Amino acid sequence: MEKVLVFGHKNPDTDTITSAIVYAHLKNATGIEAEAVRLGELNNETKFALEKFGFEAPRLIGNVSTEAKKVILVDHNEKQQSADGIEEVQVTEVIDHHRIANFETAEPLYYRAEPVGCTATILNKIFKEKGVEIPANIAGLMLSAIVSDTLLFKSPTCTEEDVAAARELEKNAGVNVEEYGLAMLKAGADLSDKSLEDLLSQDAKEFGMGDYKVVIAQVNAVDVNDVMDRQGELEELINREIQEKELDLFFFVVTDILNNDSVALALGKVALRAEAAFGVKFENNTALLKGVVSRKKQVVPALTEALV
Amino acid sequence: MEKVLVFGHKNPDTDTITSAIVYAHLKNATGIEAEAVRLGELNNETKFALEKFGFEAPRLIGNVSTEAKKVILVDHNEKQQSADGIEEVQVTEVIDHHRIANFETAEPLYYRAEPVGCTATILNKIFKEKGVEIPANIAGLMLSAIVSDTLLFKSPTCTEEDVAAARELEKNAGVNVEEYGLAMLKAGADLSDKSLEDLLSQDAKEFGMGDYKVVIAQVNAVDVNDVMDRQGELEELINREIQEKELDLFFFVVTDILNNDSVALALGKVALRAEAAFGVKFENNTALLKGVVSRKKQVVPALTEALV
């Protein structure tokens, strides 16, 4: 049987990378040859997690159709967030926690989505259902994913199931989640070695909202001024991207991981709609979004409501 | 909390009706108020199963947006097969065993699809995962669904998991599956009280294949000649439907449940493509399709391959 590739979305984050590694491990443990791969560069948070639990980065791939016939998607389903060439291969499984859109198959498949904060929380269930034990280092990766996606349980996307899964995995992995988790988030929020191009692209996702083409990029920071002090250069880069990709809105969110607020920078021809979306005034293209930390649960629904 | 409605596809079959009843039972057992409803008339097979295990038909609904805000889909996901008004309501869950297409949500949801022969086989797992016991009469409905969708394990859609689930449910329901199953299939294949309009519509599904609009209708029969003796009248009705719905192909499949073959009647401007699809010559618009019993696994892929 030919090897199946397992991967998450473009501009990978910790849940996407670790879930690919974890699910490939589970498939291999149940006798199905699988390899975790990635669609982009690792961020500092993910590097920290992989190093802590002794894993190498998955292999980077380009167009997937030259690599495999069958693939498994984790942590995403929308084709514009997936590998180039995705329409040429058969998606045999999806494990995800996002809305379903721009996704279609010719054949029946295994699709497992649950409205929880993190893919790892679903994977934790699947291990139990299959009766496969979770090794300590794999538990550590899963715990890292939950910490990352829920901002240490503080995001409104976090559910009771995520917290319960994290408590189980914490014991198994042999770390203190609060201590390890904050260290990992801080590693991710260390932006000192990042170019502005990196900041704009490392966690950028594209969305169709009605007829509008929107990119929402997010970075975590310990001090948002580390980023916002360079607003002029940022705007230059963003405006270039708006032109190249014909975007209607580029929404850049810098999230303060200690205070759990975000500062947003909105550019593009419908940028001012963000005022109605969040009920705040944007001055000099920016605004403080109090209590906003989740793209999925807070930013995407608010912008969709305002734009569609 | 407002009641959630649970339903299967239009032109309901036994899996769609019973899975709605069964899953509504499971939701109620876990403290979520749910009602099974249906989108069309029951066929004789489904009536036989409901009567055997002491159930009433679910309530018939029209446009779903006047009935509920939240719905759960079983045994389907494509919107053209779902309730009118489906785009106005929130789909909170899907339990299905078909390909995914023409399906999109704004919010994350619980989506559970597995490539097995029958929705009931997936439901059987979910009962176990939730630790909810299956009452004997509910087990009887689930068994009926598996028998129906797999033609008593003879369809190529039938998996080992379907057989294993049926063996468990058989004990619980207190029936002999071979004996009960054949009686149920024969009840469904009793076409004596059916008008030709009924035959064409009772299990008809519409598919987009490339740019072509295709309807594939299927009926089970003990003697296919009971149906095919009236080919002239059938063609008149089908041609009217092709015109009204602007179809490119109407493919009518009469399946012999004792010999596990089918006779097909193909009409529409791309009807002759069915020759390449099945490697047979159609004479007088009809052909015997040896060993073909499954729309999902045999008819849809073959026609898609020939048309797209």
Side-chain angles (χ1 to χ4, degrees):
Chain A
M1 199 170 52
E2 220 191 330
K3 190 170 63 176
V4 60
L5 295 186
V6 186
F7 53 86
H9 52 75
K10 284 180 173 165
N11 302 324
D13 59 12
T14 301
D15 189 27
T16 255
I17 293 289
T18 61
S19 290
I21 297 172
V22 170
Y23 200 54
H25 170 88
L26 177 57
K27 296 311 283 186
N28 288 326
T30 56
I32 290 158
E33 206 190 333
E35 180 193 1
V37 295
R38 66 186 160 95
L39 307 183
E41 293 311 314
L42 299 188
N43 65 37
N44 286 338
E45 182 194 279
T46 308
K47 282 181 194 160
F48 183 91
L50 293 185
E51 194 167 318
K52 168 79 180 178
F53 295 104
F55 286 89
E56 297 287 326
R59 182 167 64 88
L60 179 70
I61 64 161
N63 190 302
V64 69
S65 67
T66 62
E67 296 274 351
K69 291 206 178 76
K70 296 188 175 191
V71 303
I72 294 173
L73 310 186
V74 293
D75 195 35
H76 77 296
N77 67 84
E78 303 193 36
K79 67 176 175 229
Q80 76 278 11
Q81 297 168 4
S82 198
D84 295 338
I86 188 69
E87 281 155 315
E88 314 295 317
V89 298
Q90 186 186 356
V91 178
T92 60
E93 301 190 33
V94 178
I95 318 289
D96 191 20
H97 66 124
H98 297 88
R99 70 167 190 164
I100 299 176
N102 303 310
F103 180 79
E104 181 160 329
T105 65
E107 299 285 326
L109 75 165
Y110 182 90
Y111 198 111
R112 180 77 171 258
E114 302 195 20
V116 293
C118 181
T119 307
T121 302
I122 306 167
L123 294 178
N124 190 47
K125 283 190 197 182
I126 299 177
F127 270 95
K128 287 182 199 172
E129 289 162 19
K130 302 266 181 212
V132 176
E133 224 168 295
I134 305 179
N137 59 347
I138 290 282
L141 291 186
M142 295 165 76
L143 183 65
S144 304
I146 297 176
V147 167
S148 172
D149 268 13
T150 68
L151 264 190
L152 248 179
F153 316 132
K154 298 221 185 70
S155 166
T157 57
C158 186
T159 68
E160 281 171 32
E161 292 191 45
D162 297 299
V163 178
R167 293 302 169 198
E168 287 173 28
L169 294 163
E170 179 185 19
K171 268 184 224 153
N172 189 339
V175 295
N176 173 293
V177 66
E178 274 77 15
E179 201 177 296
Y180 165 69
L182 192 61
M184 187 195 81
L185 290 177
K186 280 187 173 168
D190 174 10
L191 307 174
S192 55
D193 68 335
K194 295 284 177 190
S195 68
L196 291 181
E197 284 88 346
D198 290 342
L199 294 187
L200 289 177
S201 67
Q202 78 174 22
D203 186 12
K205 285 187 186 174
E206 188 179 315
F207 299 86
M209 296 184 180
D211 290 334
Y212 298 115
K213 206 170 157 191
V214 176
V215 167
I216 306 173
Q218 185 171 26
V219 293
N220 289 343
V222 175
D223 182 348
V224 297
N225 291 324
D226 289 350
V227 181
M228 296 311 291
D229 281 350
R230 303 176 67 185
Q231 188 179 342
E233 296 163 79
L234 277 169
E235 291 197 2
E236 221 170 282
L237 288 169
I238 290 173
N239 281 323
R240 199 180 308 153
E241 184 146 344
I242 287 173
Q243 208 163 15
E244 275 169 17
K245 294 194 177 163
E246 299 183 337
L247 303 177
D248 299 291
L249 173 63
F250 193 110
F251 201 76
F252 182 52
V253 181
V254 187
T255 298
D256 179 333
I257 61 164
L258 300 181
N259 295 310
N260 300 303
D261 294 321
S262 294
V263 168
L265 170 61
L267 294 171
K269 61 174 182 273
V270 294
L272 281 179
R273 296 271 189 94
E275 297 202 334
F278 297 98
V280 294
K281 217 167 150 51
F282 276 66
E283 287 181 23
N284 186 24
N285 302 323
T286 70
L288 174 67
L289 307 181
K290 292 291 292 179
V292 171
V293 299
S294 166
R295 174 167 50 197
K296 180 163 79 170
K297 205 94 169 185
Q298 296 173 304
V299 180
V300 171
L303 287 177
T304 305
E305 175 83 19
L307 288 176
V308 179
Chain B
M1 198 170 52
E2 221 190 331
K3 191 170 63 177
V4 60
L5 294 186
V6 186
F7 52 86
H9 53 75
K10 284 180 173 165
N11 303 324
D13 59 11
T14 300
D15 188 27
T16 256
I17 293 289
T18 60
S19 290
I21 297 172
V22 170
Y23 200 53
H25 170 88
L26 177 57
K27 296 311 283 185
N28 288 326
T30 55
I32 290 158
E33 206 189 333
E35 182 192 359
V37 294
R38 66 186 160 94
L39 307 183
E41 293 310 316
L42 299 187
N43 65 37
N44 287 337
E45 182 193 280
T46 309
K47 282 180 194 161
F48 183 89
L50 294 185
E51 194 168 318
K52 168 79 179 177
F53 296 103
F55 286 88
E56 298 286 327
R59 181 166 64 89
L60 180 70
I61 64 160
N63 190 303
V64 69
S65 66
T66 63
E67 296 273 351
K69 292 206 178 74
K70 296 188 175 191
V71 303
I72 294 172
L73 309 186
V74 293
D75 195 33
H76 76 296
N77 67 82
E78 303 193 36
K79 66 176 175 229
Q80 76 279 10
Q81 297 168 4
S82 197
D84 296 337
I86 189 69
E87 280 155 316
E88 314 295 318
V89 298
Q90 187 187 356
V91 179
T92 60
E93 301 189 32
V94 177
I95 318 289
D96 192 19
H97 65 125
H98 297 89
R99 71 166 189 165
I100 298 177
N102 303 308
F103 180 79
E104 181 159 328
T105 65
E107 301 284 327
L109 75 164
Y110 182 90
Y111 198 111
R112 180 75 171 258
E114 303 195 20
V116 293
C118 182
T119 308
T121 301
I122 307 168
L123 293 178
N124 189 48
K125 283 190 198 183
I126 299 178
F127 269 95
K128 287 181 200 174
E129 288 161 19
K130 302 266 180 211
V132 176
E133 225 169 293
I134 305 179
N137 60 347
I138 290 283
L141 291 186
M142 294 165 76
L143 184 65
S144 304
I146 297 175
V147 167
S148 172
D149 268 14
T150 67
L151 266 189
L152 246 177
F153 316 132
K154 298 219 186 70
S155 167
T157 58
C158 187
T159 68
E160 281 171 33
E161 292 192 44
D162 297 299
V163 178
R167 292 302 169 198
E168 287 173 27
L169 294 163
E170 179 185 20
K171 268 185 223 151
N172 187 340
V175 295
N176 174 293
V177 65
E178 275 77 14
E179 201 177 296
Y180 164 69
L182 192 61
M184 187 195 80
L185 290 176
K186 280 189 172 166
D190 175 8
L191 306 173
S192 56
D193 68 335
K194 295 283 177 192
S195 68
L196 291 181
E197 285 88 345
D198 291 341
L199 294 186
L200 289 178
S201 67
Q202 77 173 23
D203 185 12
K205 285 187 184 172
E206 189 179 314
F207 299 86
M209 296 182 179
D211 290 334
Y212 298 115
K213 206 170 154 188
V214 176
V215 167
I216 306 173
Q218 185 171 27
V219 292
N220 289 343
V222 174
D223 183 347
V224 298
N225 291 324
D226 289 349
V227 180
M228 297 310 292
D229 282 349
R230 303 175 66 186
Q231 188 179 343
E233 295 163 79
L234 276 169
E235 293 197 0
E236 221 170 282
L237 288 169
I238 290 173
N239 282 323
R240 200 180 307 154
E241 184 146 343
I242 287 173
Q243 209 162 18
E244 277 168 15
K245 295 194 176 165
E246 298 183 337
L247 302 177
D248 299 290
L249 173 63
F250 193 110
F251 201 76
F252 182 53
V253 181
V254 187
T255 298
D256 180 331
I257 61 164
L258 300 181
N259 295 310
N260 301 305
D261 293 321
S262 295
V263 169
L265 170 60
L267 294 172
K269 61 175 182 273
V270 293
L272 281 178
R273 296 271 190 95
E275 296 200 335
F278 298 98
V280 294
K281 218 170 147 52
F282 275 67
E283 286 181 23
N284 187 23
N285 303 323
T286 69
L288 174 67
L289 307 181
K290 291 292 292 180
V292 171
V293 298
S294 166
R295 174 168 49 198
K296 181 163 78 170
K297 204 94 171 185
Q298 297 172 303
V299 180
V300 172
L303 287 177
T304 304
E305 175 82 20
L307 288 176
V308 178

